[in-house]
Amino acid sequence: MTRGRKIWRRIWKGLLYIVGFFVLLIIGVFIYLYSVARMFPPEITDKSSLQWQRTQLDSTAFTLNNSWFRKSRSGLYEMYVEGKPFERGVVYGKLAAELVQRQEDHFTEQIGKMIPSRTYQHFLKYLIGWFNRNMDKNVPEEYKEEIYGVSFAASEKYEFIGSNYQRIMNYHAAHDIGHALQSMALVGCTSFGTWNDRSEDSSLIIGRNFDFYVGDKFAEDKIVAFYRPDKGYGFMMITWGGFTGVVSGMNEQGLTVTINAAKSSIPSGSATPVSLVAREILQYAKNIDEAYAIAHKRKMFVSESFLIGSANDNRAAIIEKTPTELSLYDPKGNEISCANHFQSKTLGASDPNQQQLAESASPYRYQRLQELLQRNGKNSVAKTVAILRDQKGVKDADIGMGNEKAVNQLIAHHSIVFEPKQLKVWVSTAPWQLGEFVAYDLKKVLAMKGLKADQEICDSALIIPADTFLFTEDYKRFVDFRRLKAAFMDKQPIDVERLVKDNPKYYHTYVIAGDYLFKKKDYKQAEKYYRQALTREIATKAEKDHILQRIKLCGE
């Protein structure tokens, strides 16, 4: 008996040593992740701008020195900032403090819906910190100072995620991390341009949909921002609270930048966020060659296409960039199109790009874009807007409302059209690209001296009317479809028959119906809906594989 106890004591002692080792190992991993994830803000000699206060003109308009911020009648927010990096960041934060904080609320709320587990959220925090461990070393000092200035306006309630500076910096890489981690946010953006004999007045026209979706609330407060930095060119961009990178913009030289995600492998660590590479191009390049040179000197950790429109060159080209390679795609004609795959000889032949062509919605959407451009003949701003709003499939097929294969997927954060030579820009208003397109003259806005109360900034004579789809029964049905889809995502009961009636041509309607019934263990009805999904235009191979796998499980 005594001997048996000694044996068990040794076993338990050994188990305790093993458990203790693993506990210490886990603690060590988290200490390591915490240490490498920390970001220290830049040293700022003069912080006197933190004492500046904004002046309120009315309920939604403010000024601070020469800078200003307002909400327009269109629902878009408009902002002008100028000066040195840290100062303009501070001014941005003070003018738009409510939007900076609200945007983070919306972002974290959506992350909470996607990842309900607080434990996994904390793990993800460290994982993202590890991904971004070298990011600030790859961000130009100017942009670190500007982001630091903005961060003073951020809420203190999210310090459990990281410091204000660290969080705002990390949010600039959200686009990169999203489509790197499982290509889950490989957003289906579409952009194109025409010039010379492909445009009605021979001038360059650029159009783009930015289909970056982080929940409906995230897209509510769009900012049309105008910058007059102390170095480089004045420019405008479409952004959101706390974000100083560029996804769509034009500078006073008539150079435009829009970004389109491409297929990426999972990286081992971060570099310069795509949006900050685009920002540097917009601020410092006046032609395609200079844009290419800036892209060449920056290291990125995901793959991206930068469609560059240039008034000085009177043409557009695409800079295709991966973590290791760079290529310039020039169509050698008078029009250009960009979806979410590479087109140059070198990067177009790469394995990730070939997989993207075989498994994603990108080539189909690209084909539809070609159809529309050819059908429209010589392009114009109005025709560009019509293309950006198109919901049909190839050969005008009805592929359902919201299909990723359509140019207009009804999820766009914003849609935008540029006329670089005229320095004119049109920005969509809610919902998505269906509302009015509001026009701005970049030259006039940058020449403004302050802001008066209730002063409209847009050029009302150039506004493009809302899409007539907004006033149809189909639109009402789509809104109801989205409501039912959201209820399904929140694990609430849904009316399957009503769901199908709302959007009967869309394959995902039947996938939702099938998944809902599969969870209820009604396998016979679930299989029926899955098989109906197979008869519709399915966006990706992954989704088709999911359907086939569920049909197999239903049969078993």
Side-chain angles (χ1 to χ4, degrees), residues 249-302:
M250 177 174 67
N251 70 22
E252 61 186 330
Q253 289 288 315
L255 182 124
T256 68
V257 182
T258 61
I259 61 175
N260 286 49
K263 181 71 175 177
S264 291
S265 302
I266 296 178
S268 58
S270 72
T272 310
V274 167
S275 67
L276 293 179
V277 176
R279 165 67 186 274
E280 189 174 4
I281 289 171
L282 194 63
Q283 188 174 339
Y284 289 104
K286 65 177 181 294
N287 56 42
I288 293 169
D289 286 344
E290 290 183 3
Y292 185 87
I294 291 170
H296 183 267
K297 73 178 181 180
R298 295 297 172 200
K299 180 183 177 183
M300 297 186 342
F301 75 118
V302 292

Side-chain angles (χ1 to χ4, degrees), residues 3-195:
R3 188 180 176 192
R5 285 177 181 171
K6 286 181 180 179
I7 292 171
W8 276 110
R9 196 174 293 153
R10 285 177 191 151
I11 292 171
W12 278 109
K13 197 173 182 180
L15 287 172
L16 285 173
Y17 278 128
I18 293 169
V19 170
F21 171 77
F22 278 107
V23 168
L24 288 173
L25 180 64
I26 291 168
I27 292 171
V29 167
F30 275 97
I31 291 172
Y32 169 74
L33 288 172
Y34 175 77
S35 64
V36 299
R38 284 186 300 171
M39 287 185 193
F40 298 99
E43 293 289 335
I44 305 296
T45 305
D46 181 7
K47 291 185 178 180
S48 59
S49 57
L50 291 172
Q51 306 306 315
W52 295 349
Q53 297 297 320
R54 68 186 186 182
T55 300
Q56 187 163 358
L57 299 181
D58 58 39
S59 60
T60 58
F62 303 88
T63 62
L64 202 168
N65 299 333
N66 292 326
S67 299
W68 47 262
F69 175 80
R70 67 182 299 274
K71 186 175 185 179
S72 73
R73 292 174 195 150
S74 69
L76 296 169
Y77 287 89
E78 298 159 346
M79 180 171 68
Y80 169 81
V81 294
E82 63 180 29
K84 296 179 180 179
F86 180 71
E87 291 179 357
R88 65 178 180 253
V90 170
V91 169
Y92 179 145
K94 287 181 177 289
L95 287 172
E98 292 81 4
L99 263 63
V100 171
Q101 294 180 19
R102 194 152 68 228
Q103 205 71 28
E104 186 167 20
D105 288 341
H106 297 335
F107 186 78
T108 51
E109 179 185 339
Q110 185 67 17
I111 295 299
K113 287 182 179 180
M114 294 166 62
I115 308 167
S117 167
R118 182 56 69 97
T119 301
Y120 190 66
Q121 285 179 20
H122 278 287
F123 171 73
L124 192 63
K125 174 182 78 172
Y126 291 112
L127 181 65
I128 290 172
W130 182 78
F131 265 119
N132 288 345
R133 64 194 182 278
N134 295 317
M135 188 169 73
D136 59 341
K137 297 181 179 65
N138 290 280
V139 172
E141 193 69 19
E142 174 182 3
Y143 302 140
K144 285 194 282 190
E145 291 181 9
E146 186 175 322
I147 290 168
Y148 185 38
V150 173
S151 72
F152 284 90
S155 172
E156 301 296 328
K157 67 182 177 182
Y158 296 111
E159 285 194 336
F160 71 92
I161 299 174
S163 69
N164 285 10
Y165 172 69
Q166 185 174 354
R167 296 197 318 273
I168 298 296
M169 178 66 81
N170 280 333
Y171 294 152
H172 282 75
H175 170 84
D176 312 54
I177 293 168
H179 82 71
L181 281 178
Q182 53 165 297
S183 290
M184 69 176 181
L186 185 54
V187 285
C189 301
T190 307
S191 54
F192 62 95
T194 59
W195 57 96

Side-chain angles (χ1 to χ4, degrees), residues 158-440:
Y158 296 111
E159 285 194 336
F160 71 92
I161 299 174
S163 69
N164 285 10
Y165 172 69
Q166 185 174 354
R167 296 197 318 273
I168 298 296
M169 178 66 81
N170 280 333
Y171 294 152
H172 282 75
H175 170 84
D176 312 54
I177 293 168
H179 82 71
L181 281 178
Q182 53 165 297
S183 290
M184 69 176 181
L186 185 54
V187 285
C189 301
T190 307
S191 54
F192 62 95
T194 59
W195 57 96
N196 292 338
D197 66 350
R198 292 295 291 118
S199 294
E200 284 183 357
D201 62 358
S202 78
S203 66
L204 177 63
I205 301 171
I206 303 288
R208 83 92 102 252
N209 285 336
F210 183 61
D211 294 307
F212 179 68
Y213 185 75
V214 197
D216 290 341
K217 291 182 179 179
F218 187 84
E220 285 177 355
D221 302 323
K222 291 178 275 289
I223 302 174
V224 185
F226 299 89
Y227 270 67
R228 176 67 78 184
D230 62 326
K231 295 178 182 177
Y233 303 113
F235 61 90
M236 66 75 57
M237 63 180 180
I238 312 302
T239 187
W240 49 89
F243 189 73
T244 67
V246 167
V247 294
S248 306
M250 177 174 67
N251 70 22
E252 61 186 330
Q253 289 288 315
L255 182 124
T256 68
V257 182
T258 61
I259 61 175
N260 286 49
K263 181 71 175 177
S264 291
S265 302
I266 296 178
S268 58
S270 72
T272 310
V274 167
S275 67
L276 293 179
V277 176
R279 165 67 186 274
E280 189 174 4
I281 289 171
L282 194 63
Q283 188 174 339
Y284 289 104
K286 65 177 181 294
N287 56 42
I288 293 169
D289 286 344
E290 290 183 3
Y292 185 87
I294 291 170
H296 183 267
K297 73 178 181 180
R298 295 297 172 200
K299 180 183 177 183
M300 297 186 342
F301 75 118
V302 292
S303 300
E304 201 82 14
S305 292
F306 300 83
L307 192 150
I308 309 295
S310 169
N312 289 321
D313 297 308
N314 193 39
R315 65 185 180 94
I318 299 172
I319 299 171
E320 298 177 345
K321 187 170 175 62
T322 73
T324 57
E325 295 181 85
L326 181 71
S327 185
L328 184 70
Y329 173 68
D330 184 345
K332 303 297 183 184
N334 294 325
E335 71 174 57
I336 197 166
S337 299
C338 185
N340 296 102
H341 59 271
F342 290 142
Q343 300 174 67
S344 64
K345 288 184 179 179
T346 51
L347 294 179
S350 66
D351 289 340
N353 194 63
Q354 289 300 306
Q355 183 183 358
Q356 178 75 343
L357 288 169
E359 300 180 1
S360 78
S362 184
Y364 185 100
R365 187 164 14 94
Y366 183 92
Q367 184 183 351
R368 175 59 177 169
L369 179 57
Q370 299 304 299
E371 269 188 2
L372 294 169
L373 283 167
Q374 294 306 310
R375 178 185 301 170
N376 281 355
K378 294 191 175 185
N379 196 27
S380 66
V381 171
K383 288 179 178 179
T384 298
V385 170
I387 289 174
L388 294 172
R389 287 172 169 169
D390 183 75
Q391 298 181 45
K392 299 295 186 181
V394 171
K395 297 181 180 178
D396 296 325
D398 187 345
I399 58 175
M401 297 178 286
N403 198 315
E404 190 183 339
K405 285 189 169 181
V407 174
N408 177 9
Q409 304 164 44
L410 296 171
I411 61 167
H413 178 275
H414 66 262
S415 187
I416 191 166
V417 179
F418 301 102
E419 271 196 317
K421 281 197 172 182
Q422 289 75 27
L423 294 181
K424 299 281 179 65
V425 57
W426 286 259
V427 181
S428 65
T429 59
W432 314 299
Q433 57 273 75
L434 302 180
E436 292 181 336
F437 271 68
V438 180
Y440 297 91

